[in-house]
């Protein structure tokens, strides 16, 4: 080789000149120094790396010197309660190596002082913190309401040899509120033959102020019949137990963010009668008491079953006496299904027995003869002087909606939304207005709008809720068209599904789930709202009268609910599918301007909304699943939450989009002719949708008739130079709409 020839030969041994090296004296030839290395000496056995380039010990001398990678790019975050998901794209410069991995540094920051500390060992990283090969990671078990900075550093095999600054991209996030972590440490106290005392420690991560504990216990192997008691302290005594029996206890804590999960099971055994007798001088009175307790318990259980079967056989209201007779059990007996569906009842009353769900059951405020009793049962009365109204933010059915501040004694000031009841209201209006508070006050979940309390003792009557900075989801999405990553949109949908799962577990059917009834806060957390009693009948401007007399928001409602008022959690799942469609299409109106009658007809005939633009195939499939005609085939909300969690954990599953050309096929005949539609020419149509600037391009490229235009796909638009997403959307949606109208015969053929 010409380069080799220039190296000198002494005593038959080749001596490498500067710029060349020979790793072994036995090797015959000199090699040129690999990239980013040099040698100024003759007879070098290796080359030295240039400044800022390095060689690992394990790198062969023939390998180029390399350097640390540049910083990762485009990091995005998605916060879900106290978990944060981070995703980024690889660095522009891998430093010349293939062994790039990522390291996550976590810092907890104090918002005012701008000071940050290391996060400490409580944070878990999934799959790991160091040596990440993928470009995403999830951090769990963070503290609630805390500012964190995550630094995503790209490292490679020579990063630790470089004295230069670390190359990272940082992301600041604030975690949301979260339920407390489980109680882990439960100790038995005094044990008698009929009672067991317990004490426990506060959960490791309370994530807020603990409002109360719920203690669930049952006799071992008799889980179907359990008792729940509540305690504000960290100790309790369960009484009325059977002697010499093992009882299983589980405890969970509640904060403003809701209940945490139950602790693991703790088993304790009451002492036998004989032991108790020998240590107890007062045996006879105790037996008498326990017989009495037994009789009372029997009476309670009997009354309980009676009220259960009463509900099952369709009596309209549970007896208010029930609540008075055993208030401790009121959440069970007071439950009435006056307004609920018989099929839903099976969730709680099965084969004549009460199925006790793990969560409390929603109580219809209609159960109460006195609506004031219901509202005070579930909502805290607030003194008007604690509220400062700042400005009007909207209009509700009953009066203005304002924003303001709430300062309760001993608590920090909170931003709140205040719904007011206008002056001159009727008694029914007052009842309906406060009915929403009676419903909302029963819920306690981070994805359900939180009720702070009500003002009923002075005027105006008010409902005070947490403040959601970004208002209603539909308006917010329209204002921010195209501004979010798919992961952010899925995060919003996940929140809504989690809220709906909670409601369906409580046995509550929403009936008006729509993006306009979801509120969104500054952290993009979505919360289900609008629990008005008469809402579906009167309040929602989208609701229309059906032939059967009810008023229903047609575009959001399942066919069986429209046809025969079969409102269930499965019909809520249909509406959830429509909300998914609204979210992915940034607040587009479902079925555009089709009339309600045409929507009913199209859906009955098996047509479904087409995929929104740029929609991940997995999301559209979930929408179609929610729109199954057979309501039992629709996914349950827990399945929806699980599915969305999986997608969030594995974002590459969201990369496959619904094929643009197949977008229309679901709702429409694909090759429908638009020639006989509302517009006589392509120019007229484009002008009508304010896209007249493209008329010439369309005409020049052969789209000179409405029939030809009907075949245009998104790819065609891009090819024609329509690059603005907003314009693409306008044109494709208008085409879609025209085809829908034709298919439904709205435009005379
Ligand atoms: O889209 P918006 O700004 O959000 O306009 C409506 C308006 O009041 C009438 O309902 C807004 N709104 C309702 N509840 C709240 C709340 N809790 N926080 C913030 N805005 C709210 C809603």
């Amino acid at each position: 080789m010409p380069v080799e020839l220039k190296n000198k030969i002494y005593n038959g041994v080749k001596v490498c000149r500067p710029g060349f090296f020979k790793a072994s004296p036995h090797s015959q030839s000199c090699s040129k120094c690999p990239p980013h290395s040099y040698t100024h000496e003759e007879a070098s056995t290796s080359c030295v790396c240039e400044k800022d380039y390095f060689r690992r010990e394990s790198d062969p001398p023939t390998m180029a010197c390399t350097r640390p990678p540049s910083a990762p790019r485009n990091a995005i975050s998605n916060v879900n309660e106290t978990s944060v998901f981070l995703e980024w794209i690889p660095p522009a410069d891998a430093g010349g190596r293939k062994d790039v991995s990522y390291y996550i540094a976590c810092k907890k920051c104090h918002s005012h002082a701008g000071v940050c500390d290391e996060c400490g060992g409580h944070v878990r990283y999934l799959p790991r913190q160091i040596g990440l090969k993928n470009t995403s990671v999830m951090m769990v078990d963070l503290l609630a309401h805390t500012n964190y900075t995550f630094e995503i550093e790209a490292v490679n095999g020579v990063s630790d040899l470089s004295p230069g600054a670390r190359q990272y991209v940082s992301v600041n996030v604030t975690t949301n509120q979260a339920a407390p972590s489980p109680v882990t440490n439960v100790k038995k106290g005094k044990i008698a033959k009929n009672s067991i005392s317990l004490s426990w420690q506060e959960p490791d991560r309370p994530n807020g102020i603990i409002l109360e504990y719920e203690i669930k216990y049952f006799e071992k192997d008799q889980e179907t019949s359990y008792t729940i008691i509540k305690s504000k302290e960290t100790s309790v005594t369960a009484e009325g137990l059977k002697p010499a029996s093992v009882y299983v206890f589980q405890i969970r804590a509640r904060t403003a963010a809701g209940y945490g999960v139950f602790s693991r099971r703790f088993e304790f055994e009451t002492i036998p009668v004989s032991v108790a007798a020998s240590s107890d001088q007062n045996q006879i009175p105790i037996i008498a008491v326990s017989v009495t307790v037994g009789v009372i318990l029997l009476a309670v259980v009997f009354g309980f079953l009676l009220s259960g079967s009463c509900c099952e056989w369709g009596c309209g209201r549970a007896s208010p006496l029930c609540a008075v007779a055993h208030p401790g059990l009121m959440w069970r007996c007071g439950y009435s299904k006056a307004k609920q569906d018989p099929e839903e009842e099976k969730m709680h009353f099965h084969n004549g027995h009460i199925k006790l769900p793990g969560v409390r059951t929603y109580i219809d405020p209609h159960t109460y003869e006195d609506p004031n009793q219901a509202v005070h049962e579930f909502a805290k009365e607030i003194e008007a002087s604690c509220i400062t109204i700042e400005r009007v933010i909207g209009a509700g059915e009953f009066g203005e909606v304002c924003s303001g501040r709430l300062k309760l004694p001993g608590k920090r000031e909170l931003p709140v939304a205040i719904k007011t009841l206008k002056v001159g209201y009727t008694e029914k209006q007052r009842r309906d207005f406060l009915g929403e508070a009676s419903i909302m006050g029963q819920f306690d979940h981070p994805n359900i709008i939180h009720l702070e309390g009500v003002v009923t003792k002075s005027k105006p009557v008010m409902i005070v809720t947490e403040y959601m900075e970004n208002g209603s989801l539909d308006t917010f999405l329209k204002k921010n068209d195209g501004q979010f990553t798919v992961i952010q949109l899925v995060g919003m949908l996940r929140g809504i599904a989690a809220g709906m799962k909670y409601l369906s577990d409580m046995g509550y059917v929403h009936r008006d789930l729509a993006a306009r009834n979801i509120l969104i806060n500054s952290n993009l957390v979505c919360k289900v709202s609008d629990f008005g009693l008469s809402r579906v009948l009167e309040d929602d401007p989208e609701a229309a009268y059906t032939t059967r007399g009810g008023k229903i928001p047609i575009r959001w409602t399942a066919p069986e609910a429209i046809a025969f008022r079969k409102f269930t959690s499965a019909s809520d799942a249909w509406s959830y599918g429509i909300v998914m469609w609204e979210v992915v299409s940034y607040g587009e109106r479902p079925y555009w301007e089709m009339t309600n009658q045409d929507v009913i007809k199209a859906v009955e005939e098996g047509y479904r909304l087409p995929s929104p633009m740029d929609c991940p195939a997995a999301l559209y499939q979930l929408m179609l699943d929610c729109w199954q005609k057979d309501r039992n085939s629709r996914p349950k909300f827990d399945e929806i939450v699980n599915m969305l969690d999986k997608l969030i954990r594995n974002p590459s599953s969201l990369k496959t989009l619904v094929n643009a050309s197949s977008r229309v096929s679901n709702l429409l005949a694909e090759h429908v002719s638009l020639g006989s539609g509302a517009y006589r020419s392509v120019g007229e149509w484009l002008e009508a949708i304010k896209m007249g600037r493209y008329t010439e391009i369309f005409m020049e490229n052969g789209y000179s008739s409405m029939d030809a235009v009907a075949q245009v796909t998104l790819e065609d638009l891009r090819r024609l130079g329509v690059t603005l997403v907003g314009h693409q959307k306008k044109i494709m949606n208008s085409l879609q709409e025209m085809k829908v109208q034709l298919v439904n015969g709205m435009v005379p053929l």
Side-chain angles (χ1 to χ4, degrees):
M1 281 190 274
V3 181
E4 281 264 336
L5 289 174
K6 290 180 191 161
N7 290 298
K8 298 174 194 163
I9 298 180
Y10 293 113
N11 299 332
V13 179
K14 198 173 283 173
V15 174
C16 304
R17 68 184 185 91
F20 289 79
F21 78 105
K22 196 159 60 159
S24 152
H26 309 297
S27 85
Q28 285 302 304
S29 55
C30 295
S31 309
K32 192 173 187 319
C33 284
H36 304 298
S37 68
Y38 63 90
T39 165
H40 299 312
E41 318 290 321
E42 284 196 339
S44 294
T45 54
S46 65
C47 301
V48 181
C49 289
E50 286 170 7
K51 186 170 176 297
D52 297 332
Y53 283 85
F54 309 91
R55 181 175 288 128
R56 273 176 79 87
E57 236 170 67
S58 54
D59 290 348
T62 47
M63 181 176 150
C65 289
T66 54
R67 59 180 175 177
S70 56
R73 295 168 295 157
N74 296 8
I76 55 161
S77 62
N78 191 21
V79 181
N80 185 1
E81 298 183 1
T82 54
S83 303
V84 173
F85 177 80
L86 294 180
E87 197 186 14
W88 58 92
I89 61 172
D93 174 11
R97 305 184 65 93
K98 293 207 169 75
D99 55 358
V100 174
S101 66
Y102 305 95
Y103 164 74
I104 311 294
C106 170
K107 292 177 179 167
K108 204 166 66 191
C109 303
H110 309 277
S111 46
H112 10 277
V115 186
C116 299
D117 307 320
E118 292 302 316
C119 291
H122 64 89
V123 179
R124 283 193 297 135
Y125 301 79
L126 305 174
R128 61 184 69 81
Q129 181 181 20
I130 303 171
L132 279 164
K133 287 288 176 198
N134 288 340
T135 53
S136 62
V137 67
M138 178 114 142
M139 273 71 59
V140 298
D141 295 345
L142 299 167
L143 301 177
H145 290 300
T146 305
N147 299 323
Y148 283 95
T149 297
F150 293 102
E151 294 169 354
I152 310 163
E153 184 183 353
V155 290
N156 64 14
V158 294
S159 292
D160 47 0
L161 303 177
S162 162
R166 295 164 53 227
Q167 298 293 311
Y168 61 82
V169 56
S170 59
V171 180
N172 298 330
V173 296
T174 307
T175 50
N176 304 324
Q177 61 176 7
S181 65
V183 169
T184 49
N185 202 341
V186 178
K187 286 207 189 78
K188 66 177 182 209
K190 187 167 177 290
I191 296 198
K193 66 181 171 30
N194 299 118
S195 66
I196 296 176
S197 298
L198 301 174
S199 62
W200 56 90
Q201 278 172 4
E202 201 179 73
D204 294 340
R205 279 171 291 107
N207 292 334
I209 297 164
I210 297 204
L211 303 173
E212 65 182 2
Y213 292 93
E214 199 175 80
I215 302 96
K216 170 181 166 184
Y217 64 91
F218 52 89
E219 200 183 333
K220 194 173 179 186
D221 302 326
Q222 311 274 315
E223 189 164 359
T224 47
S225 160
Y226 63 74
T227 305
I228 285 188
I229 40 182
K230 301 198 179 206
S231 168
K232 292 205 186 312
E233 314 297 328
T234 52
S235 61
V236 79
T237 300
E239 287 168 334
L241 309 182
K242 286 202 290 198
S245 306
V246 176
Y247 282 86
V248 177
F249 291 84
Q250 287 184 283
I251 301 173
R252 62 179 180 174
R254 182 170 77 84
T255 63
Y259 279 108
V261 288
F262 270 117
S263 65
R264 71 173 177 84
R265 294 167 172 221
F266 291 87
E267 292 183 8
F268 303 111
E269 190 172 358
T270 46
I271 56 173
V273 177
S274 53
V275 178
S278 61
S279 62
D280 198 330
Q281 300 299 308
N282 304 318
Q283 184 192 4
I284 295 167
I286 284 178
I287 290 175
V289 170
S290 65
V291 167
T292 317
V293 168
V295 169
I296 292 172
L297 269 178
L298 264 178
V300 166
V301 170
F302 189 58
F304 196 18
L305 288 173
L306 267 185
S307 64
S309 49
C310 163
C311 289
E312 180 157 68
W313 296 111
C315 80
R317 282 157 191 268
S319 158
L321 264 184
C322 186
V324 177
H326 21 268
L329 294 170
M330 206 197 63
W331 61 268
R332 300 171 189 168
C333 333
Y335 171 73
S336 154
K337 283 286 163 183
K339 292 250 162 173
Q340 298 272 324
D341 185 272
E343 190 167 282
E344 287 291 297
E345 282 167 17
K346 285 187 205 133
M347 292 171 47
H348 313 289
F349 304 96
H350 192 63
N351 291 340
H353 295 289
I354 297 162
K355 183 182 158 225
L356 297 168
V359 262
R360 291 189 320 155
T361 308
Y362 157 73
I363 303 167
D364 187 336
H366 286 106
T367 312
Y368 289 77
E369 258 165 32
D370 174 7
N372 278 319
Q373 192 198 341
V375 76
H376 288 114
E377 187 85 44
F378 302 118
K380 210 165 44 188
E381 179 73 29
I382 296 177
E383 282 219 15
S385 60
C386 299
I387 300 167
T388 317
I389 294 185
E390 284 172 344
R391 62 193 177 89
V392 177
I393 53 173
E397 185 207 350
F398 297 97
E400 283 166 340
V401 182
C402 305
S403 63
R405 311 197 73 79
L406 171 69
K407 174 75 186 84
L408 291 173
K411 298 230 169 133
R412 69 187 167 91
E413 194 176 65
L414 289 178
V416 285
I418 304 141
K419 285 189 177 181
T420 55
L421 177 59
K422 59 191 165 218
V423 286
Y425 54 82
T426 64
E427 197 37 47
K428 178 175 182 309
Q429 280 172 328
R430 181 180 192 273
R431 207 171 44 231
D432 287 350
F433 176 72
L434 289 175
E436 175 165 27
S438 308
I439 297 173
M440 215 191 298
Q442 297 182 48
F443 303 141
D444 191 358
H445 187 273
N447 297 103
I448 304 289
I449 195 81
H450 173 73
L451 177 72
E452 293 295 341
V454 291
V455 178
T456 64
K457 304 236 154 84
S458 60
K459 287 191 183 147
V461 174
M462 297 185 240
I463 297 178
V464 183
T465 65
E466 69 181 302
Y467 183 65
M468 301 290 283
E469 296 82 351
N470 284 318
S472 332
L473 182 60
D474 63 333
T475 319
F476 174 70
L477 287 172
K478 279 179 211 154
K479 263 195 254 159
N480 295 282
D481 194 353
Q483 298 300 304
F484 301 111
T485 63
V486 172
I487 286 282
Q488 283 174 312
L489 296 179
V490 177
M492 296 175 198
L493 291 172
R494 197 261 178 213
I496 303 167
M500 289 308 297
K501 170 182 154 21
Y502 174 85
L503 293 182
S504 66
D505 285 348
M506 291 272 285
Y508 179 80
V509 179
H510 191 289
R511 298 178 178 220
D512 197 7
L513 179 58
R516 65 184 168 281
N517 290 331
I518 304 292
L519 292 165
I520 180 160
N521 71 13
S522 54
N523 285 324
L524 302 187
V525 176
C526 287
K527 308 204 180 195
V528 180
S529 81
D530 210 334
F531 301 101
L533 278 183
S534 59
R535 171 200 68 232
V536 174
L537 298 176
E538 282 144 35
D539 182 17
D540 190 338
E542 282 293 348
Y545 286 99
T546 62
T547 44
R548 301 193 64 201
K551 216 179 161 201
I552 285 172
I554 300 290
R555 284 153 217 272
W556 283 264
T557 306
E560 74 277 4
I562 297 175
F564 45 97
R565 307 189 126 257
K566 183 92 194 148
F567 285 96
T568 60
S569 292
S571 61
D572 277 352
W574 176 291
S575 314
Y576 179 80
I578 305 285
V579 172
M580 287 183 76
W581 190 91
E582 293 183 274
V583 169
V584 182
S585 55
Y586 284 91
E588 188 69 66
R589 181 170 165 75
Y591 311 95
W592 303 277
E593 297 315 316
M594 277 171 73
T595 64
N596 280 339
Q597 278 318 314
D598 287 334
V599 171
I600 294 174
K601 186 163 160 261
V603 169
E604 246 336 289
E605 286 171 4
Y607 292 113
R608 296 292 181 268
L609 278 166
S611 158
M613 242 174 71
D614 293 335
C615 177
L619 288 187
Y620 186 52
Q621 187 52 53
L622 188 54
M623 293 179 207
L624 292 175
D625 291 345
C626 292
W627 302 330
Q628 299 253 16
K629 188 176 172 56
D630 170 18
R631 64 177 178 280
N632 297 314
S633 306
R634 294 173 203 153
K636 309 280 175 294
F637 281 108
D638 60 338
E639 293 165 341
I640 298 177
V641 173
N642 290 342
M643 162 74 89
L644 296 176
D645 278 343
K646 260 195 209 148
L647 296 177
I648 291 172
R649 277 199 301 271
N650 181 15
S652 57
S653 58
L654 292 162
K655 293 211 169 107
T656 313
L657 304 184
V658 177
N659 183 337
S661 56
S662 69
R663 242 172 36 93
V664 286
S665 59
N666 205 288
L667 186 61
L668 316 158
E670 186 140 8
H671 298 294
V672 68
S673 150
L674 294 180
S676 47
Y679 300 105
R680 276 164 305 168
S681 71
V682 176
E684 189 184 316
W685 163 59
L686 287 171
E687 285 298 335
I689 60 168
K690 302 202 169 57
M691 292 286 113
R693 74 197 74 177
Y694 296 114
T695 307
E696 233 176 85
I697 299 175
F698 268 66
M699 304 301 278
E700 281 167 7
N701 285 277
Y703 296 104
S704 51
S705 68
M706 289 307 284
D707 272 351
V709 156
Q711 316 304 329
V712 165
T713 65
L714 191 58
E715 275 92 57
D716 294 334
L717 284 188
R718 290 186 182 130
R719 200 168 34 76
L720 295 182
V722 184
T723 48
L724 289 174
V725 175
H727 291 182
Q728 293 170 355
K729 245 177 139 172
K730 231 183 188 156
I731 295 171
M732 291 312 288
N733 285 339
S734 167
L735 280 175
Q736 196 82 265
E737 192 180 336
M738 282 192 287
K739 291 178 186 181
V740 172
Q741 288 176 346
L742 274 179
V743 166
N744 289 285
M746 279 180 61
V747 177
L749 290 169

